[in-house]
Amino acid sequence: MVSAINILTSRHMSFPLAARLCVRSLLRMASPEVVQRLEQRARQADEAINILKTQIQMLKQHAVTAEEQRLKKENEQLRQDINELKVKLTLAEIQNGVQQVYLPVRTATTDAPDAPAAAAAPTPAEPKPEQKQAQKGGKSDKAAGKGDKKEKKGGEKKKGGPPQEDKPVDVSRLDLRIGRILSVQKHPDADTLYVEEIDVGEEVPRTVVSGLVKHVPMEEMQDRIVIAMCNLKPAKMRGITSQAMVMCASSPEKVELLDPPAGSQPGERVTCEGYPGEPDPVLQPKKKVWETVQPDLLVTADKVATYKGAPFTVAGKGVCTSKTMSNVGIK
């Protein structure tokens, strides 16, 4: 610094030249500090760039993770929707009498190779002439015997009542009984199904699968007195065999259980006046009895369950009703 001042105050040197030399001297003196500052700023810039890169990478990962979670959630919802639709379809098919066919599980026995074909049976020896004659005589005797049997059959009367085909197709063909729900739980493989154990007056309770999760809370199902149709053909629903159907008042918007009259006991039959027949042991889907009867099962404006206007009745107890629904069907 002193040398720079001396240069500026020198009498023998012009001012412009002295100024240039002063500036150069100052630059030489300041250059280490400038270099340090530049290096420091370069390091700071590198650190800032690395921080920005890290933040960008984190944002990308977060965006990918959020999108992945969203897609997983959508897939899970679609799977649940598909399962619910399958259950509804199965219930509708069972209620309409469509027989459920389940594919067998492949086992070691199924995969085993076919057994070798059996050896051809030996060809019988040619009978002798006298044997042929005897055989002809035997055939004629058998033909005569058949004629006698036909005559006997024609003369005999069939025992028992009228055949099932001749019975009228009405509500008496349905085995409607009072039941008590002993236990209820969610189906392990279907979110919309309950699995109930129902006492219908038999030694062993019946297992019943019902699609009522969205309509009736579980606590209202427990120990509930209900009406069960007990002669539907048993069918598997998501791996569990259902042995009956709980009768409900039903509309597209709402479903609720039918209420038997007070004092009803498990096993008591529900009948309709004017239809005194006996129920079928099992409703055969091909006969379409349920499909024929169901459209005439209605809840009246007075909330009474009926068949063609005849109330569902428990002998000595009263009629069956719906708690809140009227002018709707029964399923």
Side-chain angles (χ1 to χ4, degrees), residues 12 19 25 39 50 64 97 106 128 144 211 216 225 236-237 282 293 307 312-314:
H12 305 285
S25 178
E39 289 178 351
N50 290 332
V64 170
R106 291 179 66 86
K128 294 181 180 180
V216 185
I225 299 294
K236 280 190 176 182
M237 299 180 67
V282 177
V293 173
Y307 170 73
F312 281 25
T313 305
V314 180

Side-chain angles (χ1 to χ4, degrees), residues 249-254 256 258 295 297-306 322 324-330:
S250 177
S251 72
E253 297 80 21
K254 186 178 178 181
E256 70 179 22
L258 291 178
L297 301 177
L298 299 172
V299 177
T300 66
D302 298 329
K303 301 183 180 65
V304 177
T306 65
S322 174
T324 65
M325 299 179 68
S326 59
N327 298 319
V328 295
I330 298 173

